[in-house]
Amino acid sequence: MFDFMLPSGISVLFCILRIPANTTNMDYSLALLFSLLQVLSIATAAPLPVEVVKMKSKVKWMAEQLVVRLDKDFQVPAGLTLSPPADDLDGPSSIVTVLEGYNSLISDTLNGVSQVKFDISSLTGYLSQWRQGHCSEQRPKPSVPGPLQELQSRKEFIHTVSIEALMRVKEFLNLLLKNLDHLETC
């Protein structure tokens, strides 16, 4: 008797009573066991590890490219410090909310910003699509974090808010790159 824990926390009790010494039956039993595990993984909507690795790899690449673009095209003005610190990471849903929020604050009139806004939209679109296809339990849209709320309240200072939003995106992406495991949480 085996007690096996699936990643989603569902306990499955396997009871293999009699497996004859005949290798053919053993092979069928193992194939059935592996098939059952795969079906249970799909049924619990836990993404398969290969899919998660691919998603994290793509997000990492997209985030790194965006950070490189931000470093190249936008310099932090002297004396600018970002406080409070970066927004929290709490799964793809909150990551999308934060990035979309900052993207909406970046003025289209700022020089060289169109590609950055496009890249942010591509990243958030990819994460949203992945979450919808792989997370069975859709969480409610997270609330807007503090630093983003503060910037939204100062929208009238378009260029200042845009520069700070760009710096916050960069800070947030660097945090994401150090904590890619947060992408696994639906």
Side-chain angles (χ1 to χ4, degrees):
M1 190 179 298
F2 302 98
D3 190 15
F4 181 78
M5 294 295 289
L6 288 174
S8 63
I10 298 172
S11 179
V12 178
L13 191 60
F14 288 98
C15 185
I16 302 174
L17 297 175
R18 266 197 292 204
I19 299 176
N22 183 339
T23 47
T24 305
N25 287 340
M26 178 69 94
D27 290 342
Y28 288 131
S29 297
L30 286 173
L32 179 64
L33 180 63
F34 288 124
S35 296
L36 182 60
L37 286 173
Q38 185 173 11
V39 167
L40 286 172
S41 173
I42 292 169
T44 60
L48 297 174
V50 172
E51 293 172 332
V52 173
V53 169
K54 285 181 183 178
M55 178 269 296
K56 286 167 62 174
S57 175
K58 183 164 183 169
V59 169
K60 180 181 179 194
W61 180 81
M62 292 172 87
E64 286 173 340
Q65 295 303 309
L66 196 44
V67 168
V68 166
R69 184 176 310 283
L70 288 167
D71 281 341
K72 186 180 85 163
D73 296 341
F74 301 96
Q75 302 304 315
V76 179
L80 177 68
T81 56
L82 300 178
S83 63
D87 304 277
D88 291 331
L89 297 172
D90 187 25
S93 166
S94 73
I95 293 166
V96 167
T97 298
V98 169
L99 289 174
E100 283 178 344
Y102 286 129
N103 203 18
S104 71
L105 293 174
I106 300 168
S107 172
D108 293 326
T109 62
L110 200 60
N111 269 346
V113 84
S114 59
Q115 186 63 47
V116 169
K117 288 182 64 100
F118 178 81
D119 291 349
I120 293 170
S121 293
S122 295
L123 177 56
T124 58
Y126 176 76
L127 281 172
S128 291
Q129 187 176 17
W130 193 89
R131 187 177 62 85
Q132 288 173 358
H134 293 86
C135 296
S136 64
E137 194 176 300
Q138 298 296 323
R139 297 165 95 182
K141 192 166 184 167
S143 60
V144 177
L148 179 54
Q149 270 184 341
E150 184 194 335
L151 264 184
Q152 287 174 335
S153 71
R154 296 186 290 146
K155 282 184 186 178
E156 65 273 10
F157 304 106
I158 285 180
H159 290 293
T160 304
V161 167
S162 294
I163 294 293
E164 187 169 339
L166 288 165
M167 297 306 107
R168 291 240 180 235
V169 165
K170 181 179 162 188
E171 178 186 56
F172 188 75
L173 292 172
N174 281 321
L175 180 65
L176 175 60
L177 288 168
K178 291 177 188 167
N179 298 284
L180 289 170
D181 55 318
H182 285 275
L183 291 169
E184 297 174 26
T185 307
C186 282

